[in-house]
Amino acid sequence: MKVLVVAGARPNFMKVAPILRALETAGHEAILVHTGQHYDTAMSDTFFKELGIKTPDYHLGVGTASHAVQTARIMEAFEPVFTKVHPQWLVVVGDVNSTVATALVASKLRTETHGHIAHVEAGLRSNDWRMPEEINRVLTDRLADLLLTPSEDAAPNLTAEGIPASKIVFVGNVMIDTLMLQLPVARAANTLERLGLRRRHYVAATLHRPSNVDDPIALAAVLEGLALVADSLPVVLPLHPRTLKNIERFHLGPMLTPLTILEPLGYTEMLALTDGAQCVLTDSGGIQEETTALGVPCVTLREQTERPVTITQGTNRMAPWPLTPRGILDTYLDSVAAVAQATPPRPAGWDGHASERIVKALEDKRPLKHY
Ligand code: UD1
């Protein structure tokens, strides 16, 4: 079976790593395309090295641009690659611009190439159409022939949109495959020592959603909330490039003084930071899942989450919206107190074997027509 796998941005890399490995183990031909949506060492190269991802067979080098331009560039560059490779399956992961752009190219070429599209992480919904990721998720699910869901709450979202149940396969969370493989490596590395931190004696934070960082008032409120938390324990904030740019643009640099600021971390160091934290404050999707898998308390700095399983069966809770410094502090205090009492078991399918189930689903639903 010939499978073309796409990766474009940081949250994709930990998802494609186990899929590529499982495809290879099962004797299938895997071709990797990197769109270049994320391009620098900290946001891309480090992950390839640490996670043992093969050098991409094709690198589209699209880089940063407006949504329309970035999406269009990916489509233009991907079309000839897709036609040339002529795979039976296109596998796309997550909800970034690279996901929807490549799925759209493949779907338009369907009658010519007979290639089929599988979406890994299908069925998550925030129901917030202001988020670019929500648009990407919904459209990709609509285009896909095979919808591979990460948690049991995802399929009802798809059937409610009219997607036939026959296209949906529950495979579990592939990001947890990577987490389980890398956790011993992360624990053996001396990350906390190097950063001068003691296990459970610091709070980790991440921030990059446009809703939090593209508006000066919203960004100032979150930074003030983190400063309130930092009155109790050090707050460590690896800064996403988008956030750093906006802090400079809005002249909010002095608000970083109470915080411990780091460059973006690689996978292993970020995992070590998350695993050792007393609590994590974040607007990331993936970190809500990672904290749930690790049993670390998490406060989500968003209006809603597309990953409700991390609340119903995990360690996550939402800070009240709109975010206020006091609301962030109070939710942090509640969260730490609640999770100290009991660590819930991991959600179904978060067991380190999702990539094998993904390959099995591709084999089972192998397109019959292929020329
Ligand atoms: C993208 C994804 C988001 C994901 C996030 C993880 C979409 C719509 N958004 O958002 O879902 O959670 O990645 O990081 O696909 N930059 C660098 N180096 C890089 C890449 C980007 O410095 O390697 C800078 C860019 O110049 C830009 C900023 O980071 O100013 C934001 O990058 P962009 O790719 O536009 O979106 P993200 O906010 O990273």
Side-chain angles (χ1 to χ4, degrees):
M1 202 165 62
K2 197 194 250 190
V3 184
L4 194 161
V5 178
V6 170
R10 184 169 67 175
N12 292 161
F13 304 136
M14 54 292 262
K15 293 170 195 163
V16 301
I19 298 172
L20 290 166
R21 208 175 312 114
L23 283 167
E24 215 166 274
T25 306
H28 299 299
E29 187 185 356
I31 290 111
L32 176 61
V33 173
H34 188 334
T35 65
Q37 179 176 345
H38 283 176
Y39 46 83
D40 66 23
T41 305
M43 300 296 283
S44 175
D45 303 355
T46 307
F47 292 82
F48 277 73
K49 225 176 277 165
E50 283 181 276
L51 303 179
I53 305 172
K54 69 168 176 164
T55 307
D57 299 283
Y58 297 88
H59 198 297
L60 308 183
V62 298
T64 296
S66 70
H67 284 278
V69 171
Q70 186 177 64
T71 306
R73 276 189 198 150
I74 297 169
M75 290 181 69
E76 271 192 288
F78 183 65
E79 188 179 53
V81 172
F82 185 75
T83 309
K84 181 170 164 215
V85 173
H86 200 161
Q88 272 150 305
W89 281 111
L90 167 69
V91 174
V92 294
V93 300
D95 55 18
V96 301
N97 287 341
S98 302
T99 312
V100 70
T102 53
L104 191 49
V105 168
S107 70
K108 300 255 180 172
L109 288 169
R110 202 188 301 265
T111 48
E112 277 165 55
T113 64
H114 303 280
H116 285 58
I117 304 162
H119 183 207
V120 172
E121 209 184 88
L124 301 187
R125 294 291 182 266
S126 67
N127 298 309
D128 179 357
W129 280 81
R130 291 165 303 178
M131 285 180 78
E133 293 82 1
E134 183 71 359
I135 300 167
N136 295 343
R137 282 190 279 266
V138 173
L139 296 184
T140 305
D141 283 340
R142 195 69 190 83
L143 298 170
D145 302 286
L146 178 57
L147 296 105
L148 301 165
T149 57
S151 47
E152 284 168 329
D153 50 10
N157 293 334
L158 296 171
T159 44
E161 290 172 15
I163 292 174
S166 57
K167 285 186 170 184
I168 305 169
V169 179
F170 170 59
V171 291
N173 190 333
V174 76
M175 221 178 56
I176 305 304
D177 291 17
T178 299
L179 181 145
M180 289 176 71
L181 195 68
Q182 297 292 329
L183 192 55
V185 182
R187 285 186 174 160
N190 61 350
T191 304
L192 298 190
E193 225 168 79
R194 188 177 70 74
L195 299 174
L197 298 169
R198 265 199 310 140
R199 197 171 162 81
R200 306 284 178 248
H201 284 79
Y202 66 90
V203 170
T206 80
L207 216 53
H208 76 282
R209 288 275 155 223
S211 55
N212 284 331
V213 307
D214 286 2
D215 171 68
I217 294 168
L219 182 52
V222 178
L223 292 175
E224 207 182 318
L226 298 186
L228 290 181
V229 175
D231 284 339
S232 330
L233 280 183
V235 173
V236 185
L237 175 66
L239 266 190
H240 189 283
R242 172 189 283 275
T243 312
L244 176 63
K245 273 188 196 165
N246 287 339
I247 286 171
E248 287 167 354
R249 187 153 65 100
F250 305 144
H251 308 290
L252 295 176
M255 297 196 74
L256 298 180
T257 311
L259 313 175
T260 306
I261 301 300
L262 304 176
E263 309 252 307
L265 297 178
Y267 183 83
T268 317
E269 287 196 322
M270 190 62 213
L271 181 56
L273 190 74
T274 305
D275 176 51
Q278 182 219 30
C279 180
V280 180
L281 282 69
T282 189
D283 58 12
S284 150
I287 294 174
Q288 295 171 48
E289 296 179 341
E290 288 166 341
T291 46
T292 277
L294 293 166
V296 171
C298 178
V299 173
T300 292
L301 306 171
R302 298 233 323 251
E303 189 170 4
Q304 72 306 94
T305 178
E306 61 287 334
R307 292 160 161 95
V309 73
T310 60
I311 294 175
T312 54
Q313 295 178 49
T315 56
N316 192 17
R317 58 179 62 203
M318 310 294 296
W321 192 268
L323 296 175
T324 61
R326 189 72 222 180
I328 293 172
L329 176 67
D330 288 346
T331 317
Y332 156 72
L333 294 172
D334 289 350
S335 173
V336 173
V339 178
Q341 291 160 12
T343 304
R346 282 184 190 159
W350 295 30
D351 58 358
H353 297 285
S355 53
E356 293 148 41
R357 290 188 288 268
I358 289 170
V359 172
K360 170 106 185 11
L362 296 175
E363 289 168 344
D364 288 351
K365 304 253 176 186
R366 190 186 309 237
L368 294 176
K369 262 186 153 189
H370 192 69
Y371 306 99

